[in-house]
């Protein structure tokens, strides 16, 4: 778990093809279900939103949905994404909420 969180923190969302790595890490963290991953996932969500990486944003939202109430620190970002113009982000944000 700590290694995955470290890898997630080091993913550079400006580079091409990084969403594949980020999505895989987010999926692994969600599958492990350890709420210690929430801060790293929240940081990844924020970075993905800032860099307009919609696939990573969706993967982060999906991961946060797994953590339930432990992901409360991302509520404001999740709420803002319920009105996103990207048709895939809206339902992911609603599901995460």
């Amino acid at each position: 778990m700590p290694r995955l969180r470290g890898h997630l923190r080091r993913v550079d969302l400006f580079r091409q093809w990084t969403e594949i790595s980020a999505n895989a890490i987010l999926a692994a963290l969600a599958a492990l279900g350890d709420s210690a991953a929430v801060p790293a996932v929240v940081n990844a969500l924020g970075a993905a939103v800032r860099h307009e990486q919609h696939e990573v944003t969706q993967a982060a939202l999906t991961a946060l949905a797994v953590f339930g109430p432990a992901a409360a620190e991302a509520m404001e970002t999740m709420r803002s994404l319920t009105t996103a113009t990207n048709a895939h982000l809206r339902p992911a944000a609603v599901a995460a909420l």
Side-chain angles (χ1 to χ4, degrees), residues 1-5 8 25-42 63-71 73:
M1 189 73 142
R3 280 188 176 177
L4 287 173
R5 291 191 314 255
L8 185 59
I25 295 167
L26 288 163
L29 290 170
L32 291 170
D34 186 345
S35 62
V38 169
V41 176
V42 170
L64 289 169
V66 170
F67 298 117
E73 65 186 272

Side-chain angles (χ1 to χ4, degrees), residues 55-95:
E55 289 183 28
V56 178
T57 301
Q58 185 177 352
L61 288 167
T62 301
L64 289 169
V66 170
F67 298 117
E73 65 186 272
M75 292 289 281
E76 186 176 321
T77 303
M78 290 187 281
R79 278 193 187 112
S80 71
L81 291 169
T82 62
T83 60
T85 57
N86 182 292
H88 299 286
L89 292 182
R90 287 191 308 266
V94 170

